[in-house]
Short mmCIF file of all heavy atoms in Angstrom, two decimals:
data_model
loop_
_atom_site.label_atom_id
_atom_site.label_comp_id
_atom_site.label_asym_id
_atom_site.label_seq_id
_atom_site.Cartn_x
_atom_site.Cartn_y
_atom_site.Cartn_z
N GLU W 1 0.82 -1.22 0.01
CA GLU W 1 -0.01 0.00 -0.01
C GLU W 1 0.91 1.25 0.01
O GLU W 1 2.06 1.15 0.33
CB GLU W 1 -0.89 -0.07 1.20
CG GLU W 1 -0.15 -0.12 2.55
CD GLU W 1 -1.01 -0.37 3.70
OE1 GLU W 1 -1.73 0.58 4.17
OE2 GLU W 1 -1.01 -1.51 4.23
N PHE W 2 0.37 2.30 -0.37
CA PHE W 2 1.03 3.64 -0.41
C PHE W 2 0.60 4.63 0.69
O PHE W 2 -0.54 4.54 1.15
CB PHE W 2 0.79 4.35 -1.73
CG PHE W 2 1.66 3.74 -2.78
CD1 PHE W 2 1.22 2.68 -3.63
CD2 PHE W 2 2.93 4.31 -3.18
CE1 PHE W 2 1.77 2.20 -4.62
CE2 PHE W 2 3.66 3.77 -4.22
CZ PHE W 2 3.16 2.75 -4.94
N PHE W 3 1.47 5.43 1.06
CA PHE W 3 1.15 6.66 1.91
C PHE W 3 1.48 7.78 1.01
O PHE W 3 2.51 7.88 0.44
CB PHE W 3 1.90 6.65 3.14
CG PHE W 3 1.47 5.55 4.12
CD1 PHE W 3 2.37 4.55 4.32
CD2 PHE W 3 0.28 5.71 4.90
CE1 PHE W 3 1.92 3.41 5.19
CE2 PHE W 3 -0.08 4.66 5.64
CZ PHE W 3 0.76 3.54 5.86
N VAL W 4 0.52 8.72 0.95
CA VAL W 4 0.66 9.96 0.09
C VAL W 4 0.57 11.20 0.96
O VAL W 4 -0.49 11.40 1.52
CB VAL W 4 -0.27 9.94 -1.12
CG1 VAL W 4 -0.12 11.14 -1.99
CG2 VAL W 4 -0.25 8.59 -1.84
N ALA W 5 1.54 12.02 0.93
CA ALA W 5 1.57 13.30 1.54
C ALA W 5 0.95 14.33 0.59
O ALA W 5 1.41 14.48 -0.62
CB ALA W 5 2.86 13.80 2.08
N ARG W 6 -0.03 15.14 1.02
CA ARG W 6 -0.68 16.19 0.13
C ARG W 6 -0.63 17.48 0.89
O ARG W 6 -0.80 17.48 2.16
CB ARG W 6 -2.05 15.78 -0.27
CG ARG W 6 -2.16 14.53 -1.09
CD ARG W 6 -3.62 14.18 -1.39
NE ARG W 6 -3.72 12.93 -2.06
CZ ARG W 6 -3.63 12.73 -3.33
NH1 ARG W 6 -3.39 13.73 -4.14
NH2 ARG W 6 -3.74 11.56 -3.91
N ASP W 7 -0.68 18.67 0.18
CA ASP W 7 -0.84 19.95 0.79
C ASP W 7 -2.31 20.27 0.88
O ASP W 7 -3.15 19.34 0.56
CB ASP W 7 -0.05 20.94 0.01
CG ASP W 7 -0.55 21.29 -1.40
OD1 ASP W 7 -1.65 20.77 -1.73
OD2 ASP W 7 0.12 21.92 -2.15
N GLU W 8 -2.62 21.40 1.28
CA GLU W 8 -3.98 21.82 1.60
C GLU W 8 -4.82 21.83 0.28
O GLU W 8 -6.04 21.68 0.30
CB GLU W 8 -4.04 23.20 2.25
CG GLU W 8 -3.47 23.25 3.62
CD GLU W 8 -1.91 23.19 3.67
OE1 GLU W 8 -1.34 23.70 2.67
OE2 GLU W 8 -1.30 22.72 4.63
N GLN W 9 -4.21 22.00 -0.91
CA GLN W 9 -4.90 21.98 -2.17
C GLN W 9 -4.99 20.62 -2.75
O GLN W 9 -5.51 20.46 -3.87
CB GLN W 9 -4.19 22.97 -3.14
CG GLN W 9 -4.25 24.45 -2.77
CD GLN W 9 -3.38 24.90 -1.67
OE1 GLN W 9 -2.19 24.34 -1.59
NE2 GLN W 9 -3.87 25.64 -0.68
N GLY W 10 -4.34 19.69 -2.15
CA GLY W 10 -4.48 18.33 -2.59
C GLY W 10 -3.35 17.85 -3.54
O GLY W 10 -3.27 16.72 -4.07
N ARG W 11 -2.37 18.78 -3.66
CA ARG W 11 -1.21 18.48 -4.51
C ARG W 11 -0.24 17.44 -3.82
O ARG W 11 -0.05 17.53 -2.62
CB ARG W 11 -0.37 19.70 -4.80
CG ARG W 11 0.86 19.49 -5.75
CD ARG W 11 1.56 20.87 -5.96
NE ARG W 11 2.23 21.37 -4.86
CZ ARG W 11 3.55 21.32 -4.61
NH1 ARG W 11 4.29 20.82 -5.49
NH2 ARG W 11 4.16 21.81 -3.53
N ILE W 12 0.15 16.49 -4.57
CA ILE W 12 1.08 15.40 -3.94
C ILE W 12 2.48 16.00 -3.68
O ILE W 12 3.05 16.67 -4.55
CB ILE W 12 1.22 14.17 -4.88
CG1 ILE W 12 -0.15 13.54 -5.03
CG2 ILE W 12 2.29 13.33 -4.38
CD1 ILE W 12 -0.16 12.31 -5.88
N LEU W 13 2.81 15.87 -2.35
CA LEU W 13 4.16 16.34 -2.00
C LEU W 13 5.12 15.24 -1.94
O LEU W 13 6.33 15.33 -2.13
CB LEU W 13 4.06 16.97 -0.59
CG LEU W 13 3.08 18.14 -0.46
CD1 LEU W 13 2.98 18.51 0.99
CD2 LEU W 13 3.49 19.27 -1.28
N GLY W 14 4.67 14.01 -1.59
CA GLY W 14 5.54 12.80 -1.51
C GLY W 14 4.75 11.55 -1.34
O GLY W 14 3.61 11.61 -1.14
N VAL W 15 5.45 10.49 -1.64
CA VAL W 15 4.94 9.06 -1.64
C VAL W 15 5.86 8.13 -1.09
O VAL W 15 7.04 8.30 -1.21
CB VAL W 15 4.54 8.69 -3.10
CG1 VAL W 15 4.03 7.35 -3.15
CG2 VAL W 15 3.58 9.69 -3.82
N THR W 16 5.32 7.14 -0.31
CA THR W 16 6.06 5.93 0.00
C THR W 16 5.21 4.72 -0.13
O THR W 16 4.07 4.87 0.08
CB THR W 16 6.81 6.06 1.28
OG1 THR W 16 7.79 4.96 1.44
CG2 THR W 16 5.83 5.92 2.46
N ARG W 17 5.82 3.59 -0.36
CA ARG W 17 5.09 2.32 -0.42
C ARG W 17 5.67 1.43 0.64
O ARG W 17 6.81 1.33 0.93
CB ARG W 17 5.27 1.72 -1.83
CG ARG W 17 4.68 0.47 -2.08
CD ARG W 17 4.92 -0.08 -3.54
NE ARG W 17 4.24 -1.25 -3.72
CZ ARG W 17 4.43 -1.93 -4.94
NH1 ARG W 17 5.22 -1.49 -5.87
NH2 ARG W 17 3.87 -3.00 -5.20
N ILE W 18 4.77 0.64 1.21
CA ILE W 18 5.21 -0.47 2.10
C ILE W 18 4.60 -1.75 1.45
O ILE W 18 3.63 -1.76 0.85
CB ILE W 18 4.71 -0.26 3.58
CG1 ILE W 18 3.13 -0.14 3.58
CG2 ILE W 18 5.27 0.93 4.21
CD1 ILE W 18 2.55 -0.18 5.00
N MET W 19 5.41 -2.77 1.73
CA MET W 19 5.07 -4.17 1.21
C MET W 19 5.74 -5.14 1.97
O MET W 19 6.76 -4.94 2.66
CB MET W 19 5.30 -4.19 -0.26
CG MET W 19 6.81 -3.93 -0.62
SD MET W 19 7.07 -3.77 -2.37
CE MET W 19 6.83 -5.35 -3.03
N PRO W 20 5.27 -6.35 1.90
CA PRO W 20 5.95 -7.46 2.54
C PRO W 20 7.47 -7.68 1.99
O PRO W 20 7.64 -7.31 0.80
CB PRO W 20 5.21 -8.76 2.26
CG PRO W 20 3.88 -8.15 1.67
CD PRO W 20 4.12 -6.93 1.19
N SER W 21 8.33 -8.07 2.83
CA SER W 21 9.73 -8.29 2.34
C SER W 21 9.55 -9.41 1.25
O SER W 21 8.77 -10.32 1.26
CB SER W 21 10.61 -8.85 3.46
OG SER W 21 10.90 -7.77 4.29
N ASP W 22 10.48 -9.30 0.25
CA ASP W 22 10.40 -10.22 -0.85
C ASP W 22 11.84 -10.62 -1.17
O ASP W 22 12.59 -9.90 -1.95
CB ASP W 22 9.79 -9.48 -2.02
CG ASP W 22 9.60 -10.41 -3.26
OD1 ASP W 22 10.05 -11.56 -3.16
OD2 ASP W 22 9.23 -9.86 -4.29
N ILE W 23 12.29 -11.81 -0.75
CA ILE W 23 13.61 -12.26 -1.09
C ILE W 23 13.73 -12.64 -2.51
O ILE W 23 14.80 -12.86 -3.03
CB ILE W 23 14.08 -13.41 -0.14
CG1 ILE W 23 13.14 -14.53 -0.16
CG2 ILE W 23 14.19 -12.84 1.24
CD1 ILE W 23 13.61 -15.75 0.61
N GLU W 24 12.57 -12.73 -3.28
CA GLU W 24 12.60 -13.16 -4.64
C GLU W 24 12.62 -11.91 -5.60
O GLU W 24 12.57 -12.01 -6.87
CB GLU W 24 11.46 -13.97 -4.89
CG GLU W 24 11.36 -15.21 -4.06
CD GLU W 24 12.54 -16.17 -4.26
OE1 GLU W 24 12.96 -16.30 -5.41
OE2 GLU W 24 12.96 -16.69 -3.20
N SER W 25 12.58 -10.65 -5.05
CA SER W 25 12.52 -9.46 -5.96
C SER W 25 13.69 -9.46 -6.92
O SER W 25 14.81 -9.62 -6.48
CB SER W 25 12.46 -8.25 -5.09
OG SER W 25 12.74 -7.11 -5.87
N PRO W 26 13.42 -9.29 -8.29
CA PRO W 26 14.45 -9.43 -9.18
C PRO W 26 15.35 -8.15 -9.08
O PRO W 26 16.56 -8.15 -9.41
CB PRO W 26 13.74 -9.41 -10.52
CG PRO W 26 12.47 -8.87 -10.27
CD PRO W 26 12.12 -9.17 -8.91
N GLY W 27 14.84 -6.99 -8.74
CA GLY W 27 15.57 -5.80 -8.74
C GLY W 27 16.34 -5.54 -7.39
O GLY W 27 17.42 -5.12 -7.34
N HIS W 28 15.59 -5.69 -6.27
CA HIS W 28 16.17 -5.40 -4.94
C HIS W 28 15.74 -6.50 -3.97
O HIS W 28 14.81 -6.26 -3.17
CB HIS W 28 15.67 -4.03 -4.45
CG HIS W 28 16.03 -2.93 -5.49
ND1 HIS W 28 17.31 -2.46 -5.55
CD2 HIS W 28 15.22 -2.26 -6.37
CE1 HIS W 28 17.27 -1.54 -6.52
NE2 HIS W 28 16.11 -1.38 -7.01
N PRO W 29 16.33 -7.60 -3.97
CA PRO W 29 16.03 -8.78 -3.08
C PRO W 29 16.28 -8.38 -1.66
O PRO W 29 17.21 -7.65 -1.34
CB PRO W 29 16.91 -9.85 -3.48
CG PRO W 29 18.05 -9.24 -4.14
CD PRO W 29 17.55 -8.04 -4.80
N THR W 30 15.39 -8.80 -0.78
CA THR W 30 15.53 -8.61 0.65
C THR W 30 16.67 -9.53 1.06
O THR W 30 16.67 -10.78 0.80
CB THR W 30 14.33 -8.90 1.51
OG1 THR W 30 13.28 -8.07 1.02
CG2 THR W 30 14.50 -8.72 2.86
N PRO W 31 17.71 -9.06 1.80
CA PRO W 31 18.80 -9.91 2.21
C PRO W 31 18.29 -11.06 3.16
O PRO W 31 17.41 -10.80 3.92
CB PRO W 31 19.78 -9.00 2.98
CG PRO W 31 19.41 -7.66 2.47
CD PRO W 31 18.02 -7.65 2.27
N VAL W 32 18.92 -12.18 3.08
CA VAL W 32 18.64 -13.23 3.94
C VAL W 32 18.88 -12.74 5.41
O VAL W 32 19.84 -12.01 5.68
CB VAL W 32 19.59 -14.46 3.68
CG1 VAL W 32 19.37 -15.59 4.68
CG2 VAL W 32 19.26 -14.95 2.30
#
């Protein structure tokens, strides 16, 4: 899921995503 920071006018200021660890990720595997 994502968390989105917005200003008073609703403009997106920032974003982050959280997800379960994934040791199978092809780009950025979670270290053992």
